[in-house]
Amino acid sequence: MKRLAPYLLILPGGLWLLIFLVVPMVFMASVSTQEGDMLNGFVQTFNLSTYGDALAQYRTQFLRSAGYGLMGTAVSIALAYPMAYWIAFKGGARKSTYLLLVLLPFFVSFVLRTVSWKFLLADDGMLLAPLKSMSLVPGDFHVLQTTVAVIGGLVYNYLPFMILPIYVALERVDPRVVEAAQDLYAPRREAFTKVVLPLSLPGVFAGVLMTFVPMTADYVNAGILGGPENTMIGNIIQTEYLTNSDYPTAAALSFTLMAAMLIGIFAYARALGTENVLEAAAR
């Protein structure tokens, strides 16, 4: 019975993943190689040319999504690291309160949070209307339906996913290690770059994975805050599934997106040095 205990513990989670992840992906893989339409039905023909046609047709949206994901992730790191550092080392007894404030947006629906930014950034909204009335910005100035609006929405919605893992990694850093570096006459900058930063890399690594993947596949922010020039591949997949009913193309786009992100993640892990990250996490 003891030998079976580990397998029994992972059985519920394994069944859940099998039913709600593996089975749908197998079904979607089958759909991606079919041909037909909603009127005449779809027939399995193992047509792999759908992948090439979909990639060629929507290459711009793929590149745009990857660019938005990279830019959003970079901005998230720049904003999240100082916040996580301050909470971990300066938060004191109020760390839990600060973390609650970081998580507070999650108490509101994702879509509602994004729509609220649309009202704030509208040409006659709470932010721009007063600035235009005081002639601080040109009358034709607008933020909505721009790249800045979409990336800003992505960063706002996914920033906590970057803050939390970095905070956890920084929280594990023993302050005495930093004090020892300073006692050995290391300047503050070198104590950070040589001690704190390497030890916090596991958090940065996890944060990038947790933000880049959903940012790249997101379609809500581009649909609400962006315009025709800001369409992401997620918007195309949504349209192909729900509007055009072109299930093979939508499934092929979904698999292509997953493959591209997996390749990017493995390349990122290799460039960063997963072994070094794991060694730092084990300390």
Side-chain angles (χ1 to χ4, degrees), residues 207-269:
V208 169
L209 295 184
M210 294 175 65
T211 54
F212 174 74
V213 172
M215 279 184 180
T216 304
D218 186 88
Y219 63 93
V220 175
N221 287 277
I224 295 177
L225 302 177
E229 300 298 323
N230 308 114
T231 304
M232 298 175 66
I233 194 62
N235 302 104
I236 300 298
I237 294 174
Q238 181 196 31
T239 302
E240 294 292 347
Y241 265 124
L242 303 181
T243 304
N244 299 338
S245 297
D246 189 354
Y247 300 145
T249 299
L253 288 172
S254 300
F255 265 101
T256 304
L257 177 62
M258 285 190 291
M261 286 193 293
L262 284 174
I263 293 173
I265 289 170
F266 285 133
Y268 161 72

Side-chain angles (χ1 to χ4, degrees), residues 9-26:
L9 289 173
I10 66 172
L11 182 61
L15 289 175
W16 183 275
L17 291 175
L18 176 64
I19 296 172
F20 296 105
L21 179 63
V22 178
V23 172
M25 287 186 65
V26 171

Side-chain angles (χ1 to χ4, degrees), residues 18 32 67 120 123 126 137 151 158 192 233 245 271:
L18 176 64
S32 68
L120 287 173
D123 293 346
M126 298 172 57
V137 296
I151 295 178
Y158 294 106
F192 173 77
I233 194 62
S245 297

Side-chain angles (χ1 to χ4, degrees), residues 18-86:
L18 176 64
I19 296 172
F20 296 105
L21 179 63
V22 178
V23 172
M25 287 186 65
V26 171
F27 179 76
M28 189 167 64
S30 175
V31 171
S32 68
T33 57
Q34 295 179 6
E35 290 183 282
D37 52 48
M38 287 294 293
L39 295 177
N40 302 313
F42 295 93
V43 180
Q44 181 58 262
T45 60
F46 297 101
N47 179 28
L48 298 178
S49 63
T50 305
Y51 285 86
D53 295 340
L55 182 59
Q57 184 176 359
Y58 299 112
R59 184 189 313 169
T60 302
Q61 286 78 10
F62 270 110
L63 295 176
R64 183 181 295 130
S65 298
Y68 285 179
L70 289 172
M71 287 187 286
T73 301
V75 174
S76 295
I77 294 175
L79 296 177
Y81 202 100
M83 294 176 64
Y85 185 93
W86 188 87

Side-chain angles (χ1 to χ4, degrees), residues 81 84-85 87-90 95 99 163-178 195-206 276-283:
Y81 202 100
Y85 185 93
I87 295 174
F89 292 105
K90 306 295 183 181
K95 290 181 181 180
L99 290 176
I163 295 175
L164 293 179
I166 294 178
Y167 165 79
V168 172
L170 290 171
E171 181 69 13
R172 296 180 59 185
V173 176
D174 192 341
R176 292 175 297 181
V177 177
V178 182
V195 179
V196 177
L197 183 59
L199 293 177
S200 65
L201 279 182
V204 177
F205 181 82
N276 296 332
V277 169
L278 294 177
E279 289 177 4
R283 293 177 183 174

Side-chain angles (χ1 to χ4, degrees), residues 105-199:
F106 286 119
F107 287 85
V108 181
S109 166
F110 180 91
V111 176
L112 289 178
R113 283 185 279 132
T114 307
V115 171
S116 67
W117 275 98
K118 183 176 182 179
F119 287 105
L120 287 173
L121 300 178
D123 293 346
D124 56 350
M126 298 172 57
L127 183 62
L128 291 182
L131 296 177
K132 290 182 178 180
S133 65
M134 293 183 290
S135 299
L136 295 178
V137 296
D140 59 349
F141 180 81
H142 68 280
V143 179
L144 286 180
Q145 300 186 355
T146 64
T147 299
V148 174
V150 176
I151 295 178
L154 291 172
V155 172
Y156 167 73
N157 281 301
Y158 294 106
L159 185 61
F161 291 109
M162 183 68 75
I163 295 175
L164 293 179
I166 294 178
Y167 165 79
V168 172
L170 290 171
E171 181 69 13
R172 296 180 59 185
V173 176
D174 192 341
R176 292 175 297 181
V177 177
V178 182
E179 293 176 1
Q182 294 175 347
D183 289 341
L184 294 173
Y185 304 103
R188 286 182 176 271
R189 179 179 298 179
E190 288 194 9
F192 173 77
T193 57
K194 302 294 185 180
V195 179
V196 177
L197 183 59
L199 293 177

